[in-house]
């Protein structure tokens, strides 16, 4: 490879829209690839590019149909699944009852919070694998504060939040300031936190002496709706607002698209990444508080076990609303899609294997869809 | 000189592309034991010649290539044939793996010696490597990591890797073709490399040496052939040439010895003043830029031209030198600070450094102005979309909607979007690095039209470009950077492409008056 500017020009153009055409046309019409030929060569590339722009595109209706199918496909499948279990004679009796729906919503409120925690840094391309473990640790912190130190509920919540934000800060410093690969860093953090929980609790659940009002908040309903929704819905709206309607969210999107470009348009990349992981820690701590209330205590296993369902939901959610990009509404839809499907299988009698099989399958399908969506968008 | 000692002989070589003649009637003879340099400006046909020899491109029928006595029709020479006949190529970037050891790098060229069960015979590999190291004077141990080697040694390693399989101790030697081997090397490293090449030539190899930087190494080669516009302009003994004669041959007309006045005499109020700036390859760079002026920066790759822009934009930390913008000292340590001071920067590599490929045009256009739309606790998306539509129209971007992702546009239209992103900020100082690279002619005209409008509105521009013609046409004044220093300043009527080419290719010596 002779590295003249002409070649760089070709490489630059080759990476963009007209990649395929740029390879074929100017190669056939290639002129002397030294700088002097650059004008000519780039002209060829450029014309090829114009030709691509002017290609007869999809008709508007076609494009709209594909766009809608892309955007709301998951919702359609979701509706089909619910309809199926509601009508199937093996499940129809219990599936769509208020009790079952309430149970699913109540249980999944915690997972949905973990998912929100993961979406914030993921918008900037940072995968936080420690969110579920932060949820576990903070649920244990809240339980222990009440059970072992007789703290009032608000102190327990404050302790949980402080710990979640603190762990988020450590993640943020490691990833943003020391530029450690976020997957490795957060995986290490998740493993470490799992061990800390076992050490602190001796592997036993912490359930005694919890505030009754706190437990009621986790298990009872207001107007037929699980009370946890009071925290979940504002959190969903808040995350959506933060990511889609503030400059901060736009910075995260820009970093997620191209960190080098983001830096060169004046975005303070390290600071933005750091705060995104702190916010993730805070949201995960809220999830921990909800988990503690819902379960009426804490144990070392439950929190970390949310990692995989949350992971699957985030990527499944990236196929709706804003296809190709992780987004809070889509991720929460993903959570409930998985939960309602698994519940149906559970009622039909396939309890133990249904959840991992369906989570795994959903993740594989979702990531395949997302990758191909993103690729289509880029070419 | 078609004697028995002729290692490579080219006769009547021609190569035409649709609409362009890249090579025409080129004759070339290289003797065994000779270091032969091939010189020429951009677009002279050097690279095409190398590609034809390597068999990557097929020449037009009619020419012949004779390698070590075997004659081939030039249009039949393929990569395998060229290799079998004894041609070896080492390309500019050498292609060595820095994280691997010397012996691993050599083994990659030839394969690992293996024993029973496919086991690598390390002892034999080490012995083979040690022998090569000695013969090619690489100056390393077999276990040395290549990243720690000096640049000349890396190139020698690449040469050893290219030659190892046909250097079997017999008298038969082939032709080694080196493409720009010294482009990335400091001068003393280049001399070290050439002295090693000299010993290689003494062992019977013919060396064809292609270089932009030939004037620096003229005294180390035997003969020089100069290509100009695809034709052989001359072949001469290196002893008969000097720098001026060589440049005259490359440029194709007698060298104008009277260089333009290098003194800076910009009349208007200066916007940017740079004094004694040294960072990266830059050495003691000083210049001023007036309001509404387009100051071009010419120079070869590695001359420091991109570093200059990046240091002004706060992307590269600078330690020495004084920079003032509108009389106020500029202390930008981050792009954000430089932007606050009124600087905008369109980087050279759009895909890597400027594009947000999967985001809509609207967000790409407002990427440097996001906070402007933060009104009453929400993003004013409607205003943003309206502005985006206006900018797309104003900058003549061919796009369907502001919501379409940037990656769906052609290169030229993407570049217009990036330019619009910055010009909407009404910068005091606009830094442009190769703004029309990979851009078609129509878009290029659009880009310079909008640039002119910005300049008329008071923006000052620092423009880096490789295309001297473009530089001469667009700039009010051009700085020539060579070896990190400001070697000359050109302003009309001396500002023309030929003079720019001459000046960029001169050595580090002061221009003759």
């Amino acid at each position: 490879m002779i590295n003249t500017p002409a070649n760089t020009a070709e490489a630059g153009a080759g990476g963009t829209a007209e990649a395929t055409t740029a390879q074929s046309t100017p190669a056939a019409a290639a002129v002397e690839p030294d700088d002097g030929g650059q004008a000519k060569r780039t002209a060829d590339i450029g014309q090829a590019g114009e030709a691509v722009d002017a290609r007869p595109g999809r008709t508007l209706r076609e494009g709209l149909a594909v766009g809608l199918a892309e955007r709301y496909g998951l919702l359609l499948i979701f509706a089909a699944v619910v309809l199926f279990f509601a009508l199937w004679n093996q499940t129809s009796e219990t599936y769509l009852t208020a009790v079952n729906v309430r149970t699913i919503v109540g249980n999944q409120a915690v997972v949905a919070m973990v998912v929100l925690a993961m979406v914030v840094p993921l918008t900037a391309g940072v995968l936080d694998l420690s969110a579920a473990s932060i949820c576990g640790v903070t649920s244990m912190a809240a339980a222990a504060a009440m059970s072992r130190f007789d703290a009032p509920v608000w102190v327990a919540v404050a302790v949980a939040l402080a710990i979640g934000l603190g762990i988020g800060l450590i993640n943020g410093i490691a990833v943003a300031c020391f530029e450690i690969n976020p997957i490795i860093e957060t995986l290490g953090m998740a493993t470490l936190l799992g061990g800390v929980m076992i050490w602190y609790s001796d592997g036993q659940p912490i359930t005694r002496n919890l505030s009754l009002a706190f437990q009621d908040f986790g298990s009872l309903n207001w107007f037929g709706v699980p009370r946890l929704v009071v925290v979940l819905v504002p959190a969903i709206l808040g995350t959506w607002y933060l990511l889609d309607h503030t400059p901060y969210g736009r910075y995260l999107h820009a970093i997620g698209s191209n960190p080098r470009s983001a830096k060169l348009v004046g975005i303070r990349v390290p600071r933005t990444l750091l705060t995104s992981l702190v916010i993730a820690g805070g949201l995960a701590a809220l999830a921990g508080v909800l988990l503690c209330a819902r379960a009426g205590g804490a144990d070392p296993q439950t929190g970390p076990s949310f990692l995989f369902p949350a992971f699957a939901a985030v990527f499944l959610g990236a196929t709706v609303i804003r296809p190709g990009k992780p987004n809070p509404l889509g991720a929460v839809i993903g959570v409930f899609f998985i939960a309602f499907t698994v519940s149906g299988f559970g009622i039909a009698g396939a309890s133990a294997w249904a959840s991992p099989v369906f989570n795994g399958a959903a993740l594989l399908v979702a990531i395949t869809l997302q990758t191909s969506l993103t690729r289509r968008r880029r070419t | 000189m078609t004697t028995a000692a002729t290692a490579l002989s080219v006769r009547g070589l021609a190569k035409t592309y649709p609409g362009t003649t890249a090579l025409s009637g080129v004759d070339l003879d290289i003797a065994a034991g000779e270091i032969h340099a091939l010189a020429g400006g951009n677009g002279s046909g050097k690279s095409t010649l190398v590609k034809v020899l390597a068999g990557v491109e097929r020449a037009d029928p009619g020419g012949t290539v004779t390698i070590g006595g075997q004659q081939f029709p030039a249009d039949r020479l393929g990569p395998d044939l060229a290799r079998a006949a004894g041609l070896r190529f080492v390309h500019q970037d050498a292609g060595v793996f820095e994280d691997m050891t010397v012996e691993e790098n050599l083994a990659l060229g030839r394969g690992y010696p293996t024993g029973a069960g496919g086991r690598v015979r390390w002892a034999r590999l080490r012995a083979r490597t040690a022998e090569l190291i000695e013969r090619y004077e690489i100056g390393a141990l077999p276990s040395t990591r290549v990243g720690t080697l000096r640049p000349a040694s890396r190139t020698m390693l690449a040469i050893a890797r290219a030659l190892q399989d046909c250097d079997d101790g017999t008298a038969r030697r082939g032709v080694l073709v080196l493409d720009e081997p010294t482009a990335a090397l400091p001068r003393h490293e280049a001399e070290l490399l050439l002295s090693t090449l000299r010993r290689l030539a003494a062992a019977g190899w013919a060396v064809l040496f292609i270089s932009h930087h030939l004037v620096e190494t003229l005294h180390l080669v035997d003969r020089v052939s100069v290509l100009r516009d695809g034709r052989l302009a001359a072949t001469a003994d290196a002893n008969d040439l000097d720098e001026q004669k060589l440049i005259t041959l490359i440029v194709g007309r007698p060298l104008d010895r009277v260089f333009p006045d290098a003194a800076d005499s910009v009349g208007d109020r200066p916007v940017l003043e740079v004094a004694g700036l040294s960072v990266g390859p830059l050495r003691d760079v000083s210049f001023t830029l007036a309001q509404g002026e387009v100051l071009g920066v010419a120079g070869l790759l590695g001359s420091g031209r991109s570093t200059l822009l990046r240091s002004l934009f706060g992307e590269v930390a600078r330690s020495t030198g004084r920079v003032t913008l509108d009389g106020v000292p500029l202390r930008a340590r981050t792009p954000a600070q430089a932007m606050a001071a009124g600087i905008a920067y369109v980087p050279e590599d759009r895909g890597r450094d400027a594009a947000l490929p999967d985001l809509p045009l609207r967000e790409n256009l407002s990427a440097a102005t996001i906070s402007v739309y933060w009104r009453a606790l929400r993003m004013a998306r409607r205003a943003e979309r309206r502005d985006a539509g206006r900018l797309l129209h104003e900058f003549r971007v061919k796009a369907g909607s502001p919501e379409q992702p940037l990656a769906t546009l052609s290169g030229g239209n993407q570049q217009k979007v990036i330019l619009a992103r910055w010009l909407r900020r009404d910068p005091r100082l606009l830094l442009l690095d190769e703004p029309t690279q990979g851009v078609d002619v129509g878009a290029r005209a659009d880009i310079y039209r909008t640039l002119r409008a910005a300049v008329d509105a008071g923006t000052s521009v620092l423009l880096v470009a490789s295309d001297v013609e473009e530089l001469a046409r667009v700039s009010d004044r051009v700085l020539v950077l060579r070896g990190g220093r400001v070697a000359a300043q050109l302003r009309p009527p001396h500002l023309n492409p030929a003079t720019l080419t001459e000046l960029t290719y001169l050595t580090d010596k002061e221009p003759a008056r």
Side-chain angles (χ1 to χ4, degrees), chain A residues 1-18 25-55 240-268 322-325 374-379, chain B residues 17-20 22 40-51 57 91-93 179-180 212 301 305 310 313 315 334-337 339 345 347-360 362-364 366-368 370-371 374 376-379 381 384 398 405-414 421-422 434 436-441 443-444 466-467:
Chain A
M1 189 73 193
I2 299 132
N3 200 2
T4 60
N7 277 311
T8 337
E10 184 188 39
T16 54
E18 63 275 27
T25 318
V31 288
E32 156 68 15
D34 257 343
D35 301 20
Q38 187 181 345
K40 259 202 143 65
R41 170 172 281 245
T42 49
D44 288 339
I45 292 170
Q47 280 151 13
E50 300 305 323
V52 170
D53 278 356
R55 84 197 144 190
W240 169 72
Y241 172 76
L242 180 76
L243 294 181
D244 279 14
H245 295 276
T246 65
Y248 178 77
R250 294 283 294 273
Y251 299 153
L252 288 179
H253 282 294
I255 296 170
S257 176
N258 183 347
R260 286 189 58 94
S261 299
K263 181 189 168 199
L264 287 176
V265 293
I267 294 171
R268 293 175 174 90
R322 203 171 165 165
K325 299 219 101 198
T374 311
R375 187 174 309 136
R376 200 164 78 216
R377 241 138 246 280
R378 284 190 185 243
T379 51
Chain B
Y17 295 103
T20 319
N42 293 327
S44 62
K46 300 194 303 286
S47 303
T48 309
L49 181 61
V50 172
K51 286 186 177 169
E57 297 269 1
H91 294 291
Q92 183 175 25
D93 51 6
D179 193 3
E180 296 278 5
H212 267 338
L301 279 175
R305 49 185 202 182
R310 290 171 59 208
F313 197 60
E315 206 207 347
T334 63
Q337 289 167 354
M339 284 163 63
Y345 171 49
E348 178 179 12
D349 189 335
R350 181 177 56 244
R352 196 188 62 177
D353 293 333
L356 301 170
D358 52 349
L359 295 190
R362 168 178 56 80
E363 294 190 28
N364 269 284
S366 49
I370 292 173
S371 52
W374 177 240
L377 294 181
R378 61 180 194 91
M379 294 297 289
R381 197 163 290 190
E384 189 187 2
K398 282 181 198 144
L406 180 72
T408 58
L409 297 189
S410 69
N413 282 309
Q414 287 191 25
R421 171 198 288 176
W422 288 110
E434 300 282 6
T436 58
Q437 186 166 284
V439 166
D440 67 275
V441 184
R444 187 178 293 221
S466 294
D467 186 335

Side-chain angles (χ1 to χ4, degrees), chain A residues 107-154:
Chain A
N107 286 343
Q108 297 308 312
V110 182
V111 183
M113 288 295 296
V114 174
V115 156
L116 292 179
M118 291 177 79
V119 165
V120 174
L122 194 59
T123 304
V126 171
L127 192 54
D128 182 0
L129 294 175
S130 66
S133 295
I134 296 176
C135 165
V137 160
T138 50
S139 75
M140 186 168 283
M146 287 183 273
S147 169
R148 297 191 178 174
F149 299 97
D150 285 327
V153 171
W154 71 267

